[in-house]
Amino acid sequence: MASQTRRRSASATESFYIFSRSQSGFIPLAEDPALNMQDPVDSRRSSRRLSRLSAMLHPDLSSPGEFFQLQAVGEIIAGSHRHGQRQPQAQVYEMSSRNHATTGQSTPAGQSTPDTLVSRDSPKRPHSLTPALSGVSVEQAEEDWRRLSRHLSDASGFQRSLSTSRSRHGSRSIRHSSGPGDLEKQLSDGSSGKKPGGWSLEDILRSGRAADEEAEIKPKHIGVIWEDLNVKGLGGVKNIVKTFPQAFIDFINVPATIMHALGYSKSGKQVDILHKFRGVVKPGEMCLVLGRPGSGCTSFLKVIANQRFGYTHVGGEVLYGPYQAETFAKRFQGEAVYNIEDDIHHPTLTVGQTLGFALDVKTPGKRPRGWTKQEFKNEVLDLLLKMFNIEHTRNTIVGNQYTRGVSGGERKRVSIAEMMIASACIAAWDNSTRGLDASTALDYAKSLRVLTNVYHMTTFVSLYQASETIYSQFDKVMVIDEGREVYFGPAKEARAYFESVGFKEKPRQTTPDYLTGCTDPFEREYKEGRSEADAPSTPDALNKAFNESALGVQLNDEMAAYRKTLATEREIFNQFEAANQDAKQKHTSKSSVYSVPFWTQVWALLQRQFLIKWQDKFSLLVSWVTMIVIGLILGTVWLQQPETSSGAFTRGGVLFMALFNNAFQAFGELGTTTLGRPIINKHRAYTFHRPSALWIAQILVDTLYMAPQTMLFSIIVYFSSGLALDAGAFFTFYLAILTAYVAMTLFFRTLGPDYGDIAHQACTVPGSVPGTDLIPGDSYLRQAFQYETYDLWRNYGLILVLITFFLVLNTILSEKLVWGAGGKTVTYFAKEDKERKTLNDKLMEKRKRRQFKEKDEGSDFDIASKAVLTWENLCYDVPVPSGQLRLLKNIFGYVKPGSLTALMGASGAGKTTLLDVLARRKNIGTISGDVLVDGIAPGTAFQRGTSYAEQQDVHEATQTVREALRFSAELRQPFEVSRDEKYNYVEEVISLLEMEEIADAIIGSPETGLAVEQRKRVTIGVELAAKPELLLFLDEPTSGLDSQSAFNIVRFLKKLAAAGQCILCTIHQPNSHLFENFDRLLLLQRGGECVYFGDIGHDANVLLEYFRKNGAHCPPDANPAEWMLDAVGAGMSQRIGDRDWGERWRESAELANVKDDISQMKASRMQAVGSDSKADEREYAAPLWHQIKIVNKRMHIAFWRSPDYGFTRFFNHIAIALTAGLSYLNLDDSRSSLQQRIFSVVVPALILAQVEPKYDLSRLIFYRESAAKAYQQFPFALSMVLAEMPYSILCAVGFFLPIYFMPGFLTSPSRAGYQFFMILLLELFSVTLGQTIAALTPSAFIALLLNPFITVVFALFCGVTVPPPQIPGFWRSWLYQLDPFTRLIGGMVVTELHDRAVVCTPGELNTFTSPAGTSCGDYMANFFADGGPGYLVDNATELCQYCAYKVGDEFSQPLGLDFENRWRDLGVFAAFVITSKAMPV
């Protein structure tokens, strides 16, 4: 056994070569993938084809002697298949040439002739041939292979015709598992990635490998061995979800907060995630990791890819070649990579741009064929697009769940291609076929097989619902059960092993499903006479049984043998290190784990970030428009400021607002930076770029985009305002604004008489000199602000220092900190009360009683509706730049009660589009054709009567699973149904979907919440809980689920259909056992064309008969669900037949029958329904008041369970209030304090509530639920406002206390109470204003772009920054009056200043002399008599000391503010609050 296992390590790269003499030397001919050796018949045919191929390429090989040798090889290979055995790897076949015999020459024993068949010696020299005997020119043979690889690639078109011929004639292939010398993999039976037109992935890769050797590019490959691997994480106890009060406790607990920030905090106890795993996977081997969801597959893949962040402990030994895990991470981080299950990309980049960026940062330094970097990039990009059949998506944006882009399956292929660009030696793929159709999934597995073979990669793959064909691609399989390794060994022996320990044989079940099922206590069955008593039934027992088995002992031997090779094959690891260095471009540090130097990373990121911004045209447009509009407003408000004293204060206002506006533009960086972290984490793991390179590139791109905007803004504002006409002053203004923006961006990424005699006058402006009307600007700046002009460049330098500081801080923190959950995601639960405990106990009891074969529960469901949905000649067109693109083309079909209909097709064929159209979920494009219910157009109740489980899992993150299902049942089931009945049905759904253990779990986000497959169950459960009366649509309900879970769901759907439910369901990768549960099939091909609609039949006999009539024969051992996709040309396979299957269908008798059936069904249903219209055409199941009640309850719970949101708002209010309170601490009665009192009360105007992102996320959930007609917009908008109210009141109190009492404002109840009420109204207004902006914009990012504009306008026209008399008449006549802050300031200022005495400090007094012989009192008597403000310190002297204000009213009245109007202003402001509340509604 051990020797066989050791031989297996070479099997992935073993290829037989035939060397024959020719004028050009020795030629390798037998490696061509056209040679199919899968069965005895085909192997003999292949040997003859090999002869013809040889003759075609080299006519001089046409002699009988040389043909004999080729045919002999074919017979040898055929014989090995015939007897079910493989020839030993190192065996050399010596065949004397007949040419030698006829000439009388003989071959001595132990000597070979030039015509010798040798095998590849993988362990020692994986990329060269080892001559078994002398006389063979290995070097010449390799050179000939390089030269002829392209010819062999062309000639390999025989493989395509051969496989097509086999399919047409229904020949049954003989399956062979992976093993030593497995020619099924070595000679590429379809696994070469053959595409229509003769394109072959294997040929291309082998040709590229040969080119690498020619360019002396060393191969790099390395194996992995692990022993006593233990992984621990937090668990064992339920983590209770945190609520709003908990945030205060955590904040006060400073030590725990610091420990949590540093990643040292622990909640709960450590539990074993993986326990004592052991195994070895060598270069060129593929390992399939199987297990039920939650068993530990993802954790194993992460740890084996050396991604250990997030686990509390990783113990045992993991060696990558001879390197310890720590050393490997430090020196070769990018050589082991992990592909996450979710697809995370920049949605606005195209597929070509996404992959192109990856190539920019992973292009090796040493390249084959003398390619330049651009040529290499183009070649690899073309290869990847062809490899995954996504060439048509090159210029289509990737998109995401909120942005329309490529299809889900195509996006998954982009993720796969991106990781392949990482060029790692060790690759771990986590359920990467989720969302792919069966044909594409198989193509993907074959592509991995080819890559592993050609480049000797070490590949780990976890898959759910893998087909038998996919399983056959793997060398080894690991089976995990609750963190225990219950099998690891040869894939071909796994099934027999589990049967040998007592499990029942299930020949109809695929091997992956069978292996996983053996770990499921509800699915596994024992052989007759065996039971749990005498067969392993627990994870520990299964683990023990395997360790004590012969295969367990064989694994020990294999690991020991591998460890010996580690000590003797130092040359291979030296080659690995050299290859790793060769992959780096020039100027890259030898110690760096990245392929390109830092500046190249920055340059590549510069281009990418530029494209991200450039392609978001709407955001760019909004940014430019707001900047220009604000510039025009500022310029017109301060139009040509006078050079008199009245222009001194206003010049400061324009400068402040210009700085404030541009600095506030940077606030939006906070959200974008946070949301972009998952992509940074992924690219860091792939060693694409340093995070610090991104921050540098990002700030450079931001500056590049902002510089022209700021220049235009500066030109408008500067010259309109009449500022100093000096080039130096202008560019100082421009640079100050631009650098302030950069600094803030980086910050957010890491808040009487004749008084005509001037000699007896003084100006009240600071810096004035008695007896002159000229005020030097230097004096004004010095006295008013303590600024000195000679400090200009020092201050500018300080801004640059801040920029540098924040940039360095960004780069350091980005390299040191890792964001995201990492490791095993922690699940939080709602605190269990008495009711939930009772329900959970009942669920667990029911689960214990559940048996594999359940009793028929069809009677439990009562579907009263008999409605039939039909669609005829259905087309769907969407607008594109070139015109209209048709996504669905003339589709006919129907769904009727009692039948379960499957909707299938290749990825991107239009399955989801068809579901969206039928479910009336499309809001763009043009739909033509007829979609009818019982022969009439659907009414307003159609969407309420249907359920649609969408592909994307969008849920309220703070709900528990049970709460989400109850919410759906409360609002979508008929209102007349009692709540108890609805809740009981919810419990049934929870049990059905096996969600007993997570019934009270918080759904959370994909990063910090339920796992992917658990979220999929919740999505399905929410729709099932609605108990639809008409139709149930499901888009890929089984994707991401294990086979048993998928089977349970389909079985339940079958019961619903049997009870009268109409069901249409898209499904990917169904095994034959799952496929037979469906009654009818609608099959689409690319382009949105129907190729079949009709019954499936027992064992798919009706479906296969249709294909047989049209010349396509399904092999008996093939899965019809997979084969039919290949037959119509899905994936990379060529369609069977010379006619398009869509054309065949349009001309078929079956389509004519479908049309007749539709006509008959419409007629019969219209007759049955009669002329009566439907009795219940309500759009919503629940009345409005009930919607408000249920939605409002959920929203309050959501806010309560979002402690970060509520506490952050409260903390910001406290921080701003304390800052302002301390800045204006204990204001006195001086003139300057009078002005500061005004600015301190303006501070609330700068608080724009942080509600826009919260509203935007909640709105995305509302879109999904409103499409299902769960509730209207009014309950949603009202609940958002009401849920904010308690926190707004708390924030208002927290803000008011410090900012009001610390400066020393008036404390009388009438004054303080009024001020608090105004601040409370301001808080509510800020919340409703934020929700209004969010409601009127398509995304939170656009809302953030509008915030500066709105804030600047409100602050500019409220009468503080510009006194009302100085506001131009145009703006004052309407915008000043409509500004809500005008009323806010009007009421608050007069309330504080009315009757408040002013006492000027000596520095604030204006000194002048009275005319000779006149006292100051006499001189100023007429001035005061005419109502002049202020007072004199001493009336009797001639040296007059004048204070500009005597009471606060003298300051406020010139601004048009009157104490008598304060309640009017409060009422008007309250009206603004109510109006802003109504707008989102």
Side-chain angles (χ1 to χ4, degrees):
M1 267 310 204
S3 62
Q4 292 178 6
T5 305
R6 285 193 293 271
R7 287 200 299 269
R8 287 174 54 76
S9 66
S11 68
T13 58
E14 182 180 52
S15 298
F16 294 96
Y17 278 74
I18 301 170
F19 295 98
S20 297
R21 291 192 303 271
S22 71
Q23 294 176 353
S24 60
F26 297 93
I27 307 163
L29 293 177
E31 187 164 325
D32 190 274
L35 307 177
N36 189 330
M37 305 296 180
Q38 282 198 349
D39 57 45
V41 177
D42 281 346
S43 62
R44 286 192 288 271
R45 290 179 187 148
S46 298
S47 67
R48 293 193 291 272
R49 284 194 174 91
L50 183 60
S51 300
R52 293 197 296 272
L53 174 60
S54 162
M56 178 183 69
L57 293 174
H58 287 270
D60 61 326
L61 297 180
S62 58
S63 65
E66 296 187 275
F67 267 122
F68 163 77
Q69 296 181 29
L70 300 178
Q71 293 169 355
V73 172
E75 292 298 327
I76 291 170
I77 299 173
S80 70
H81 279 275
R82 208 165 30 239
H83 296 91
Q85 60 187 5
R86 297 287 188 269
Q87 298 298 332
Q89 173 189 352
Q91 184 172 353
V92 177
Y93 303 95
E94 300 179 6
M95 294 169 291
S96 299
S97 171
R98 288 191 179 182
N99 287 342
H100 290 285
T102 56
T103 59
Q105 298 175 346
S106 61
T107 304
Q111 180 179 346
S112 69
T113 68
D115 298 303
T116 304
L117 174 67
V118 298
S119 66
R120 177 94 40 116
D121 186 5
S122 172
K124 299 281 185 171
R125 299 181 59 192
H127 292 291
S128 62
L129 295 170
T130 302
L133 299 173
S134 61
V136 176
S137 175
V138 176
E139 293 77 8
Q140 182 63 42
E142 290 180 328
E143 175 62 29
D144 291 339
W145 166 242
R146 298 186 189 104
R147 183 162 47 83
L148 292 176
S149 59
R150 293 184 181 274
H151 295 82
L152 287 169
S153 177
D154 295 336
S156 64
F158 285 120
Q159 167 67 20
R160 184 178 69 259
S161 61
L162 177 61
S163 62
T164 303
S165 175
R166 289 177 60 236
S167 179
R168 284 198 183 102
H169 292 88
S171 61
R172 180 167 184 167
S173 62
I174 299 177
R175 280 198 187 135
H176 300 282
S177 299
S178 170
D182 192 346
L183 297 179
E184 179 182 9
K185 293 171 184 161
Q186 299 308 315
L187 298 182
S188 306
D189 172 31
S191 65
S192 58
K194 191 75 64 178
K195 282 193 69 175
W199 187 85
S200 168
L201 172 62
E202 181 167 8
D203 296 339
I204 294 294
L205 293 181
R206 289 200 182 277
S207 176
R209 181 66 232 141
D212 288 348
E213 293 176 358
E214 187 174 1
E216 298 182 353
I217 298 175
K218 296 180 177 62
K220 57 176 182 177
H221 50 271
I222 201 164
V224 186
I225 184 172
W226 59 97
E227 191 165 7
D228 289 331
L229 175 61
N230 290 283
V231 178
K232 297 180 182 294
L234 296 178
V237 296
K238 285 188 176 181
N239 296 284
I240 303 302
V241 62
K242 292 184 178 181
T243 57
F244 180 65
Q246 186 66 41
F248 288 89
I249 298 173
D250 292 343
F251 181 76
I252 296 172
N253 189 1
V254 177
T257 302
I258 296 174
M259 294 291 288
H260 177 75
L262 296 176
Y264 294 109
S265 66
K266 294 182 180 180
S267 58
K269 65 179 183 180
Q270 283 190 335
V271 295
D272 284 335
I273 299 174
L274 305 177
H275 182 68
K276 291 191 175 182
F277 276 46
R278 63 191 178 101
V280 58
V281 176
K282 308 182 192 71
E285 289 185 334
M286 290 176 62
C287 175
L288 177 63
V289 182
L290 296 175
R292 290 179 297 152
S295 61
C297 296
T298 295
S299 293
F300 173 77
L301 292 179
K302 284 183 177 180
V303 172
I304 213 67
N306 219 12
Q307 294 190 18
R308 301 184 171 201
F309 169 74
Y311 298 105
T312 58
H313 172 76
V314 179
E317 182 184 45
V318 180
L319 289 179
Y320 301 88
Y323 309 104
Q324 294 287 342
E326 295 77 10
T327 303
F328 197 75
K330 184 177 180 181
R331 297 179 57 189
F332 312 108
Q333 177 183 330
E335 297 296 348
V337 292
Y338 165 76
N339 183 266
I340 61 177
E341 191 169 352
D342 288 319
D343 304 312
I344 304 173
H345 302 281
H346 288 288
T348 58
L349 288 180
T350 66
V351 171
Q353 290 166 349
T354 299
L355 300 180
F357 166 75
L359 286 165
D360 286 337
V361 292
K362 294 300 285 188
T363 297
K366 185 180 287 188
R367 295 174 291 276
R369 300 190 178 101
W371 279 337
T372 64
K373 293 179 183 178
Q374 188 61 41
E375 289 172 339
F376 180 88
K377 176 181 177 180
N378 294 338
E379 289 286 337
V380 176
L381 182 57
D382 290 342
L383 170 65
L384 289 170
L385 295 177
K386 287 182 179 178
M387 181 180 185
F388 293 108
N389 202 18
I390 51 175
E391 294 169 279
H392 59 287
T393 68
R394 181 192 290 260
N395 298 318
T396 305
I397 65 170
V398 178
N400 58 16
Q401 61 265 45
Y402 310 123
T403 304
R404 187 163 64 98
V406 298
S407 70
E410 291 165 341
R411 192 177 302 122
K412 172 60 66 179
R413 284 176 265 177
V414 173
S415 299
I416 295 169
E418 184 184 44
M419 194 176 103
M420 285 184 172
I421 291 173
S423 300
C425 296
I426 302 166
W429 306 87
D430 194 356
N431 197 22
S432 296
T433 60
R434 183 173 66 113
L436 301 182
D437 62 87
S439 180
T440 304
L442 178 58
D443 289 338
Y444 158 72
K446 289 180 177 179
S447 298
L448 286 185
R449 179 76 262 174
V450 172
L451 283 167
T452 304
N453 287 350
V454 175
Y455 289 102
H456 294 260
M457 294 176 61
T458 303
T459 304
F460 297 85
V461 183
S462 74
L463 296 176
Y464 293 144
Q465 305 179 55
S467 68
E468 194 70 33
T469 314
I470 291 178
Y471 182 79
S472 68
Q473 304 297 317
F474 291 89
D475 305 293
K476 294 179 176 179
V477 63
M478 171 185 285
V479 184
I480 305 176
D481 184 10
E482 295 184 11
R484 302 299 189 270
E485 182 183 278
V486 299
Y487 180 85
F488 178 80
K492 66 179 181 180
E493 299 180 33
R495 188 171 196 133
Y497 165 76
F498 279 94
E499 292 172 351
S500 69
V501 297
F503 292 105
K504 182 179 179 180
E505 298 177 6
K506 296 181 179 181
R508 292 194 62 194
Q509 201 171 26
T510 63
T511 301
D513 290 352
Y514 177 76
L515 299 181
T516 306
C518 289
T519 67
D520 188 343
F522 301 109
E523 180 185 358
R524 62 187 172 211
E525 296 179 83
Y526 296 96
K527 289 182 177 179
E528 187 175 351
R530 302 289 296 270
S531 66
E532 293 183 359
D534 57 358
S537 59
T538 65
D540 288 326
L542 286 167
N543 174 255
K544 181 180 178 182
F546 170 71
N547 290 334
E548 295 174 353
S549 68
L551 286 171
V553 174
Q554 177 182 319
L555 177 58
N556 291 334
D557 296 339
E558 183 183 11
M559 293 174 66
Y562 179 76
R563 289 185 182 276
K564 291 181 180 178
T565 64
L566 294 180
T568 60
E569 295 185 347
R570 185 63 228 177
E571 179 183 350
I572 292 179
F573 304 122
N574 290 338
Q575 180 177 272
F576 167 77
E577 294 181 8
N580 181 268
Q581 291 297 323
D582 288 345
K584 297 177 182 178
Q585 294 185 11
K586 290 182 180 179
H587 311 298
T588 305
S589 171
K590 289 185 178 180
S591 61
S592 174
V593 297
Y594 298 93
S595 300
V596 297
F598 187 78
W599 67 268
T600 304
Q601 298 174 30
V602 173
W603 175 245
L605 286 162
L606 271 171
Q607 299 176 74
R608 188 192 73 176
Q609 298 305 118
F610 181 88
L611 288 171
I612 289 173
K613 279 187 172 288
W614 180 253
Q615 289 171 188
D616 191 358
K617 293 294 194 301
F618 185 73
S619 296
L620 272 180
L621 178 63
V622 171
S623 178
W624 274 92
V625 169
T626 53
M627 186 69 78
I628 292 172
V629 171
I630 291 177
L632 291 173
I633 292 175
L634 293 179
T636 54
V637 168
W638 280 290
L639 185 65
Q640 295 302 314
Q641 290 300 293
E643 297 185 359
T644 62
S645 61
S646 61
F649 178 77
T650 54
R651 276 177 166 78
V654 69
L655 294 174
F656 171 76
M657 293 305 297
L659 277 170
F660 173 75
N661 170 65
N662 284 271
F664 201 65
Q665 295 277 351
F667 187 76
E669 291 298 320
L670 197 59
T672 31
T673 301
T674 303
L675 293 178
R677 285 175 177 175
I679 299 176
I680 298 174
N681 290 342
K682 180 178 70 171
H683 286 177
R684 184 211 299 256
Y686 290 176
T687 62
F688 279 1
H689 63 82
R690 288 183 176 276
S692 55
L694 172 62
W695 304 130
I696 294 174
Q698 182 69 67
I699 197 61
L700 291 175
V701 170
D702 289 341
T703 305
L704 178 65
Y705 273 92
M706 198 63 186
Q709 287 188 24
T710 305
M711 174 59 74
L712 180 58
F713 173 84
S714 299
I715 291 173
I716 295 173
V717 174
Y718 193 89
F719 294 105
S720 298
S721 302
L723 299 178
L725 297 178
D726 178 78
F730 169 75
F731 283 105
T732 300
F733 175 82
Y734 170 71
L735 288 176
I737 291 176
L738 183 61
T739 51
Y741 166 79
V742 174
M744 292 301 294
T745 297
L746 287 170
F747 172 73
F748 281 119
R749 282 180 185 161
T750 327
L751 293 142
D754 180 12
Y755 297 107
D757 188 355
I758 191 62
H760 304 292
Q761 295 179 10
C763 183
T764 59
V765 175
S768 64
V769 178
T772 177
D773 58 356
L774 297 177
I775 306 172
D778 295 355
S779 300
Y780 173 72
L781 293 174
R782 186 179 302 111
Q783 186 169 344
F785 306 106
Q786 290 76 51
Y787 292 161
E788 297 289 349
T789 54
Y790 53 75
D791 291 334
L792 169 64
W793 292 109
R794 182 205 67 179
N795 296 336
Y796 184 74
L798 290 175
I799 297 178
L800 296 180
V801 169
L802 285 175
I803 291 175
T804 304
F805 171 74
F806 288 129
L807 182 58
V808 171
L809 191 62
N810 265 279
T811 56
I812 293 174
L813 293 178
S814 65
E815 295 289 339
K816 298 297 182 183
L817 298 181
V818 179
W819 299 286
K824 178 178 169 58
T825 301
V826 177
T827 303
Y828 291 92
F829 292 81
K831 193 172 182 179
E832 196 174 60
D833 57 17
K834 184 177 180 181
E835 180 204 5
R836 286 196 287 264
K837 179 172 175 48
T838 302
L839 292 174
N840 292 337
D841 290 343
K842 289 180 179 179
L843 284 174
M844 297 310 295
E845 290 175 6
K846 185 175 182 179
R847 183 177 182 180
K848 290 178 182 178
R849 295 194 306 266
R850 188 190 312 148
Q851 299 296 324
F852 176 67
K853 293 195 175 184
E854 302 177 11
K855 64 178 182 178
D856 184 13
E857 298 179 358
S859 58
D860 294 342
F861 307 105
D862 182 18
I863 311 297
S865 175
K866 303 299 180 183
V868 175
L869 176 70
T870 62
W871 55 94
E872 301 171 85
N873 207 31
L874 184 61
C875 299
Y876 177 59
D877 301 277
V878 294
V880 293
S882 59
Q884 292 285 321
L885 175 63
R886 177 153 291 184
L887 300 182
L888 298 176
K889 299 179 180 178
N890 307 102
I891 299 177
F892 291 80
Y894 57 85
V895 181
K896 62 181 182 179
S899 64
L900 181 58
T901 304
L903 174 57
M904 299 183 66
S907 298
K911 303 183 296 297
T912 300
T913 302
L914 178 58
L915 281 185
D916 288 344
V917 170
L918 293 176
R920 303 179 72 174
R921 299 296 174 92
K922 289 295 186 184
N923 52 19
I924 62 170
T926 304
I927 301 173
S928 59
D930 295 327
V931 179
L932 307 175
V933 176
D934 290 341
I936 60 176
T940 56
F942 175 76
Q943 285 176 269
R944 174 176 62 81
T946 61
S947 284
Y948 184 7
E950 299 182 31
Q951 195 175 78
Q952 304 294 338
D953 305 316
V954 180
H955 302 283
E956 169 55 57
T958 60
Q959 276 188 304
T960 67
V961 173
R962 177 179 279 116
E963 288 168 352
L965 270 61
R966 285 184 169 184
F967 182 84
S968 178
E970 285 261 35
L971 291 176
R972 297 173 61 183
Q973 288 191 26
F975 180 68
E976 296 75 20
V977 177
S978 68
R979 192 177 75 164
D980 289 343
E981 186 176 344
K982 293 175 181 177
Y983 283 7
N984 289 336
Y985 187 74
V986 164
E987 298 304 306
E988 292 295 325
V989 173
I990 292 174
S991 177
L992 156 76
L993 297 175
E994 299 178 0
M995 298 191 296
E996 297 93 343
E997 293 183 349
I998 60 170
D1000 290 326
I1002 302 297
I1003 297 173
S1005 65
E1007 292 81 20
T1008 56
L1010 296 181
V1012 174
E1013 61 87 17
Q1014 292 172 330
R1015 296 172 66 83
K1016 176 59 67 178
R1017 294 171 195 256
V1018 175
T1019 299
I1020 299 170
V1022 165
E1023 300 305 318
L1024 292 179
K1027 209 171 186 180
E1029 298 175 350
L1030 293 177
L1031 290 154
L1032 176 59
F1033 298 103
L1034 301 103
D1035 194 1
E1036 299 183 26
T1038 61
S1039 292
L1041 302 181
D1042 65 299
S1043 58
Q1044 183 60 27
S1045 299
F1047 179 76
N1048 287 343
I1049 288 173
V1050 173
R1051 183 175 56 184
F1052 178 72
L1053 295 179
K1054 184 72 173 176
K1055 291 178 181 177
L1056 285 178
Q1061 183 76 67
C1062 291
I1063 302 177
L1064 179 60
C1065 169
T1066 66
I1067 189 164
H1068 280 171
Q1069 308 170 40
N1071 57 44
S1072 56
H1073 191 41
L1074 195 67
F1075 188 57
E1076 69 182 10
N1077 283 276
F1078 290 90
D1079 304 297
R1080 193 169 290 106
L1081 169 69
L1082 174 55
L1083 181 60
L1084 299 179
Q1085 69 176 9
R1086 285 191 181 90
E1089 291 187 272
C1090 180
V1091 297
Y1092 180 79
F1093 176 77
D1095 292 342
I1096 296 174
H1098 180 66
D1099 289 335
N1101 64 317
V1102 178
L1103 170 67
L1104 297 181
E1105 175 62 20
Y1106 171 78
F1107 278 96
R1108 187 195 64 76
K1109 288 195 309 182
N1110 288 278
H1113 300 263
C1114 178
D1117 60 345
N1119 177 4
E1122 298 174 6
W1123 173 85
M1124 68 180 182
L1125 294 175
D1126 291 332
V1128 300
M1132 290 188 288
S1133 58
Q1134 186 183 18
R1135 72 165 183 256
I1136 298 176
D1138 54 359
R1139 289 185 62 196
D1140 179 75
W1141 283 95
E1143 182 182 346
R1144 292 175 188 266
W1145 174 251
R1146 288 191 295 272
E1147 298 175 359
S1148 68
E1150 285 79 2
L1151 176 58
N1153 292 336
V1154 169
K1155 293 179 179 178
D1156 290 341
D1157 291 341
I1158 292 175
S1159 299
Q1160 293 175 13
M1161 280 187 287
K1162 289 194 300 184
S1164 63
R1165 287 301 302 158
M1166 291 178 70
Q1167 183 178 3
V1169 173
S1171 59
D1172 296 335
S1173 60
K1174 293 184 182 287
D1176 186 3
E1177 279 295 332
R1178 292 177 298 174
E1179 188 175 6
Y1180 298 91
L1184 181 61
W1185 68 267
H1186 189 67
Q1187 297 176 31
I1188 295 174
K1189 172 186 171 183
I1190 300 300
V1191 176
N1192 188 57
K1193 177 183 176 182
R1194 183 181 73 168
M1195 196 64 70
H1196 275 82
I1197 293 175
F1199 275 72
W1200 184 250
R1201 291 177 182 165
S1202 303
D1204 291 343
Y1205 171 74
F1207 181 75
T1208 301
R1209 276 191 60 199
F1210 181 76
F1211 179 81
N1212 285 343
H1213 282 74
I1214 293 292
I1216 293 175
L1218 287 174
T1219 302
L1222 291 172
S1223 300
Y1224 303 114
L1225 185 64
N1226 295 327
L1227 294 175
D1228 54 24
D1229 295 329
S1230 65
R1231 172 184 165 184
S1232 60
S1233 294
L1234 184 71
Q1235 195 171 30
Q1236 289 168 358
R1237 291 176 190 275
I1238 297 177
F1239 281 105
S1240 65
V1241 296
V1242 173
V1243 172
L1246 306 179
I1247 303 174
L1248 186 60
Q1250 303 160 299
V1251 299
E1252 290 164 345
K1254 181 74 171 176
Y1255 185 94
D1256 189 53
L1257 290 174
S1258 299
R1259 181 174 58 179
L1260 294 174
I1261 300 166
F1262 162 72
Y1263 285 156
R1264 181 184 68 81
E1265 294 173 337
S1266 65
K1269 300 302 178 183
Y1271 54 90
Q1272 304 174 51
Q1273 184 171 353
F1274 178 77
F1276 164 71
L1278 180 62
S1279 67
M1280 288 294 296
V1281 173
L1282 295 178
E1284 292 274 8
M1285 287 289 289
Y1287 307 94
S1288 297
I1289 295 173
L1290 182 62
C1291 289
V1293 172
F1295 182 83
F1296 174 76
L1297 293 176
I1299 203 173
Y1300 193 83
F1301 291 103
M1302 291 178 71
F1305 288 170
L1306 298 174
T1307 58
S1308 62
S1310 62
R1311 302 291 181 94
Y1314 179 92
Q1315 300 286 41
F1316 173 73
F1317 197 44
M1318 288 295 278
I1319 286 180
L1320 178 59
L1321 286 176
L1322 171 63
E1323 187 68 32
L1324 298 177
F1325 177 74
S1326 300
V1327 169
T1328 54
L1329 175 64
Q1331 293 181 353
T1332 299
I1333 296 172
L1336 296 176
T1337 52
S1339 69
F1341 301 115
I1342 302 300
L1344 291 173
L1345 290 174
L1346 292 177
N1347 286 345
F1349 170 76
I1350 294 172
T1351 304
V1352 166
V1353 169
F1354 283 178
L1356 187 60
F1357 293 102
C1358 67
V1360 174
T1361 53
V1362 184
Q1366 295 183 27
I1367 298 176
F1370 171 76
W1371 299 116
R1372 187 171 66 246
S1373 63
W1374 65 281
L1375 194 51
Y1376 171 72
Q1377 302 296 334
L1378 291 178
D1379 189 345
F1381 286 1
T1382 298
R1383 309 304 166 185
L1384 171 74
I1385 297 302
M1388 297 186 73
V1389 167
V1390 298
T1391 301
E1392 174 59 27
L1393 298 186
H1394 180 60
D1395 290 338
R1396 175 177 281 278
V1398 179
V1399 181
C1400 287
T1401 63
E1404 296 172 339
L1405 295 173
N1406 298 106
T1407 304
F1408 57 92
T1409 60
S1410 61
T1414 307
S1415 67
C1416 292
D1418 295 336
Y1419 178 61
M1420 297 290 291
N1422 292 336
F1423 173 78
F1424 290 128
D1426 292 338
Y1431 66 92
L1432 290 172
V1433 175
D1434 190 349
N1435 293 332
T1437 63
E1438 293 183 358
L1439 184 62
C1440 307
Q1441 291 182 310
Y1442 171 71
C1443 181
Y1445 304 109
K1446 184 176 182 180
V1447 292
D1449 299 85
E1450 294 178 347
F1451 180 88
S1452 61
Q1453 285 174 354
L1455 301 179
L1457 305 178
D1458 195 321
F1459 183 76
E1460 300 300 326
N1461 297 329
R1462 65 177 188 144
W1463 290 108
R1464 180 204 65 183
D1465 291 339
L1466 186 147
V1468 174
F1469 190 51
F1472 276 114
V1473 175
I1474 296 172
T1475 303
S1476 62
K1477 284 183 179 179
M1479 290 183 68
V1481 177

